[in-house]
């Protein structure tokens, strides 16, 4: 039974996951309104970085250049490369496809940890069973019930790449978490994320970007992604983990893709049939079963 004083933190955890789930639809909206995927990431991360810097600015560099190099890699795997794969995945695939394939991340993280020998005895019968259940769900999601056609795999493949990048990011961040403040690590991820995307900015005209900012839909969605989904939700999620624990709070992660699917179906008019719905259920069931 939850302690009365802790209930608000459980509610806060649900709110954060619902907001994070809706970010897929928000990014998709920006893409449909003409915002290039590169600029979505750039504006989101640069604004989030300076907001974090305002609250966490006493330490600028890590204790060693080795750790600084690892932080640079986290900016690539958990920042620029991850969000570029996710955003371009949203360009070519449905929001529900991308969100549920990215929900496959915990299984990939375990698998990568096992293959790189960072963890021992992590492959269990439950894990293997859950892996195949989730893979079956991805297959249903990709083919959408019509196995006689050759599906367009680009969007789903980019979503899978994003999940794989996040798996590597999680393993890179793990040894740093014991030595550095969480807000410092996240600020560095944001910093190296937008720094590594800057070489691609000349490919897009600054004038086009200014014109886009005349659209209130662009401004509202970017502010939502940067201020609420990135900055505030990160702070709130840290409070949740601190108050109810990492294990209990992790259960709320399963709300993320479900919220994404609900938002995309209600507001993005995305397709839904029995095969897609079954695929979503199998992916989520596989991930949950693998962690039993």
């Amino acid at each position: 039974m939850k302690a009365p004083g802790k209930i608000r933190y459980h509610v806060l955890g649900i709110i954060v996951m619902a907001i994070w789930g809706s970010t897929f639809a928000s990014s998709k909206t920006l893409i449909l309104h003409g915002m290039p995927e590169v600029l979505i990431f750039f504006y989101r991360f640069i604004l989030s970085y300076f907001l974090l810097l305002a609250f966490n600015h006493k330490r600028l560099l890590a204790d060693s250049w080795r750790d600084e190099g690892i932080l640079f890699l986290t900016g690539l795997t958990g920042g620029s490369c991850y969000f570029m794969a996710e955003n371009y995945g949203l360009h070519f695939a449905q929001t529900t496809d991308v969100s549920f394939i990215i929900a496959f991340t915990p299984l990939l993280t375990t698998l990568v940890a096992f293959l790189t020998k960072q963890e021992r005895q992590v492959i269990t019968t439950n894990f293997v069973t859950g892996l195949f259940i989730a893979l079956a769900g991805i297959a249903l999601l990709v083919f959408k019930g019509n196995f006689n056609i050759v599906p367009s795999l680009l969007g789903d493949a980019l979503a899978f790449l994003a999940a794989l990048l996040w798996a590597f990011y999680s393993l890179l961040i793990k040894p740093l978490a014991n030595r550095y403040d969480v807000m410092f690590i996240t600020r560095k991820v944001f910093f190296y994320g937008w720094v590594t995307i800057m070489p691609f900015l000349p490919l897009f005209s600054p004038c086009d970007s200014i014109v886009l900012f005349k659209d209130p839909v662009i401004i509202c969605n970017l502010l939502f992604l940067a201020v609420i989904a990135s900055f505030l939700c990160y702070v709130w999620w840290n409070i949740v983990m601190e108050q109810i624990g990492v294990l209990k709070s992790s259960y709320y992660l399963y709300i993320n893709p479900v919220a994404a699917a609900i938002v995309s179906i209600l507001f993005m008019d995305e397709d839904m049939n029995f095969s897609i719905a079954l695929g979503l259920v199998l992916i989520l069931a596989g991930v949950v079963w693998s962690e039993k």
Side-chain angles (χ1 to χ4, degrees), residues 121-195:
Q121 297 179 342
V122 293
I123 302 300
T124 63
T125 302
N126 282 347
F127 173 82
V128 175
T129 304
L131 178 65
F132 280 103
I133 292 173
L135 286 173
I138 290 177
L140 287 172
L141 208 60
V142 169
F143 286 92
K144 296 177 172 54
N146 189 353
F147 290 90
N148 295 319
I149 62 170
V150 178
S152 176
L153 294 175
L154 184 56
D156 295 322
L158 286 169
F160 187 85
L161 175 61
L164 185 60
L165 285 167
W166 194 263
F168 280 104
Y169 165 78
S170 301
L171 295 174
L172 285 169
I173 217 80
K174 187 177 180 180
L176 297 174
N178 296 326
R179 302 197 298 273
Y180 298 100
D181 178 74
V182 180
M183 290 193 72
F184 168 77
I185 294 174
T186 305
R187 197 192 79 221
K188 299 294 283 188
V189 172
F190 286 171
F191 174 75
Y192 284 121
W194 65 261
V195 163

Side-chain angles (χ1 to χ4, degrees), residues 19-62:
I19 292 173
W20 277 347
S22 65
T23 59
F24 294 96
S26 185
S27 295
K28 183 81 171 186
T29 300
L30 289 171
I31 293 169
L32 294 175
H33 278 74
M35 174 69 74
E37 290 80 0
V38 171
L39 294 182
I40 294 173
F41 168 79
F42 178 76
Y43 289 127
R44 176 180 179 176
F45 261 48
I46 194 169
L47 182 55
S48 301
Y49 171 75
F50 283 109
L51 284 171
L52 272 171
L53 187 64
F55 291 89
N56 184 274
H57 51 262
K58 292 183 179 180
R59 177 196 286 269
L60 293 179
L61 295 173

Side-chain angles (χ1 to χ4, degrees), residues 219-239:
I219 296 175
C220 291
N221 278 279
L222 277 178
L223 287 176
F224 168 73
L225 289 173
V227 179
I228 298 177
S230 294
F231 174 65
L232 286 179
C233 279
Y234 170 75
V235 175
W236 291 342
W237 186 246
N238 280 333
I239 294 173

